[in-house]
Amino acid sequence: MKKIIYALIVPLIVVSGLVFADRESKHEASKKAASKPLSAAERKAALKRWEATPDGIAYKKWEASPEGKKVYAGEANIRKHLNAFTTMEAVVTSLSLPPGSRLGFGLMVRINDDDYILSFGPEKTDKSSGNLTNEFRPLHSLKVNDRLIIRSHTVSHAPKYDYPILSGDYVERDGKLMYKRVPRKGGC
């Protein structure tokens, strides 16, 4: 009787081990495939597929619209400052972002007669107290028409907004540093 039970259990253990090992190898293979960067041709093909979707069509229409062209022109006007990370003079035009925005804390500023969203990201709360951290506190003291010196590495856009979105990396007012983005730990 014991021999029959062993004869039934041993193949069951071997088969379940093989099934488990096969599942692990497939799981690892899918991770490796997902982390492999796409080639230029693959990226181009993926972009073409996306442009054929309803979201892609709407985006292309926005790019060709007067609003989209205005946003791209605003980006082009500050591109050399972004690439060189040089200072730009800005005037605060609004202390709040456009209604419905999901960019976190930010301001509206004017640089060389063009309006921009100056975005700093979400305000972080202290986990122990639940209060906002001091990171953006000096920026909360700004008023409309304050003159700022800003530097940024990044400008972006989205059809939802009628303005280019400038990432706030460095802000000073009257020669006093108000905000400087802290680089992320461990890289970029």
Side-chain angles (χ1 to χ4, degrees):
M1 184 70 174
K2 284 184 182 180
K3 289 182 181 180
I4 295 173
I5 292 174
Y6 285 126
L8 293 174
I9 290 177
V10 170
L12 181 63
I13 292 172
V14 171
V15 169
S16 62
L18 290 173
V19 169
F20 183 72
D22 187 46
R23 188 179 71 84
E24 284 290 319
S25 66
K26 286 181 182 177
H27 184 65
E28 289 174 12
S30 67
K31 277 186 181 178
K32 289 178 184 177
S35 65
K36 178 185 163 193
L38 299 175
S39 69
E42 290 170 330
R43 280 193 309 266
K44 192 173 184 178
L47 179 63
K48 286 286 186 196
R49 284 192 304 274
W50 177 78
E51 287 175 347
T53 67
D55 286 340
I57 293 167
Y59 183 79
K60 295 304 264 178
K61 283 182 184 177
W62 174 79
E63 278 186 320
S65 72
E67 294 85 9
K69 289 178 182 178
K70 179 180 154 248
V71 168
Y72 279 117
E75 289 179 15
N77 289 341
I78 62 170
R79 181 68 56 201
K80 68 178 182 174
H81 292 287
L82 298 176
N83 291 340
F85 197 59
T86 57
T87 60
M88 298 176 274
E89 292 183 27
V91 176
V92 177
T93 58
S94 175
L95 300 175
S96 61
L97 296 177
S101 71
R102 294 183 170 186
L103 299 172
F105 176 70
L107 312 163
M108 295 296 298
V109 296
R110 180 167 289 135
I111 303 170
N112 297 333
D113 298 324
D114 287 324
D115 291 323
Y116 297 86
I117 294 173
L118 182 59
S119 175
F120 296 96
E123 290 192 272
K124 298 176 183 121
T125 56
D126 183 12
K127 291 181 182 176
S128 62
S129 68
N131 296 328
L132 291 176
T133 60
N134 295 333
E135 185 179 23
F136 301 133
R137 186 163 289 155
L139 297 171
H140 286 288
S141 68
L142 291 173
K143 296 175 182 73
V144 173
N145 293 327
D146 278 350
R147 295 196 173 278
L148 305 174
I149 300 295
I150 61 174
R151 281 188 264 173
S152 178
H153 285 291
T154 310
V155 66
S156 60
H157 56 267
K160 178 178 180 178
Y161 304 107
D162 292 337
Y163 311 98
I165 304 163
L166 191 59
S167 172
D169 292 330
Y170 175 92
V171 178
E172 75 177 53
R173 178 182 68 188
D174 300 328
K176 182 181 174 191
L177 178 66
M178 297 193 77
Y179 176 78
K180 184 175 182 181
R181 186 177 307 278
V182 178
R184 292 183 187 161
K185 293 178 183 175
C188 302

